[in-house]
Amino acid sequence: MSEPESPTRNDPVSRFFGLKPGDLAIVAPATLCAFTLFSAYSVAKPLRDAIGASVGSKEVAALQTGTFLTMIAASALVGLLVSRLSWRVFVMFASIVWVLGAGTTAIFFASAGTESSHLVDKAFFVALSVFNLLSLSIFWATMSDILDSDRAKRAFPAIGLGLTCGAIAGSWFVLKFAKTISYSNFIWISCGLLIIAALSTAWLLRFAPARAREKRRTPGGSIAEMIEGMWTALASPYLRRLTIYLLLYSATGTLVYMLQLKILDVSFADLAADKAKIARAEVSATIDFYANILTASLQLFVAGRILRWIGIAAALTITPLTTLSSIFLLLWSPTVAMLVPVQVARRGFHYALDRPAREVLYTVVSPVERYKSKNFIDTFIYRFGDVVGSWSQVRLEGMLPSFQIATVTALCLAFAGVGVSLGSMLKKRERASEPSSPIR
């Protein structure tokens, strides 16, 4: 089955999102899948943050390194599987793995009794980060298979709204029930949401084209593609600059995240271990909840107009400057009362303004360059930046406060400078009279 039957043109949901007849039969299950997939992650994420806050900076840095290495191994495994399985079979296999993984985690958390097993906590921290990366990557790849370019333009806003609402719902649930539901039961809830996502995926795959039954890649798999993407990114000054920008974003963002974990650790250090975990998860969920509401509000009402008004170059300086301000404020007042509004503002402005501006940067490169380099930049460089940022924080903690501030200021100003230069290079490419003659 390749096309759904056309629903009535008078469907109110279709009118609201500007969908054409036939779109809703695909968009509805896709949005449900996006909602449940991201709400499952958002229910588990505050638990991961609470674990990170309880183990110390060096341990978190080691876990970030483990996440990076696990991601590379997982990419190799994904490449191997998709070279031997049809895309449909692989996607359903991955969906089942997510469900089984969540169920196994819930069992381990429950069997730990006090839910304080360090080994289980560390494995959960790494696995959840890798799951978030791979599950969304596989989901968007599946949607790209099912939707042609014209239908994708109509469908993606609704699907993106499903992701945002899933993030809000998941964090709200943790915020509401953090004191009454155990860790293992939270993971069982994530497991149930992943089952719904798997069923939605199975329905979506009914509309996949015939090529989805065929093998998708050569035996080189994702690692070979990532290496090819690395050489593509390094060969272009524009993409090199974009690579540096994302590396600095990830590294400086991790510095803020490490400060968040340290504040959560100190603020609830006088509580018993289980109660401290709950309190830390509750604060993390509060940040996630209000940051996602701010993101959705900005996206719906003002983000587009702000980007058109200030331009891409200025938009790319928002995250560096808010990151610098966040670090200054958290060093000045390392309290939960300061942490929540600072992180809400920083993350809300990033996802509503900086992230869309960054995606615009890919519109002036060739499709081949975009396909090859984007996966390398958005996965390998992003996670490597986490490693750089976490170990940098470990080193900075042993230095004088004045040196810490000077280092962070230099990083964030360099980050902003790269953003301005990227905006300038973007304008030059847009003004090029001959699109077939790329500016390098």
Side-chain angles (χ1 to χ4, degrees), residues 19 26-27 34 70 112 121 151 173-174 177 197 200 230 280 367 433:
L19 303 178
I26 293 177
V27 172
T70 304
D121 286 352
R151 179 171 276 173
F173 189 85
V174 177
F177 298 103
S200 302
M230 177 184 71
R280 290 162 184 154
S433 56

Side-chain angles (χ1 to χ4, degrees), residues 26 38 62 85 106 113 128 140 170-171 181 199 228 254 296 338 340 364:
I26 293 177
F38 214 63
L85 302 173
L128 185 65
W140 286 118
S171 53
I181 296 181
L199 294 174
E228 191 174 3
T254 301
M338 178 64 75
V340 172
V364 294

Side-chain angles (χ1 to χ4, degrees), residues 35-37 39-41 43 170 188-198:
F35 175 87
T36 52
L37 195 65
S39 58
Y41 169 73
V43 166
W188 279 124
I189 291 165
S190 288
C191 185
L193 291 166
L194 289 173
I195 291 173
I196 299 173

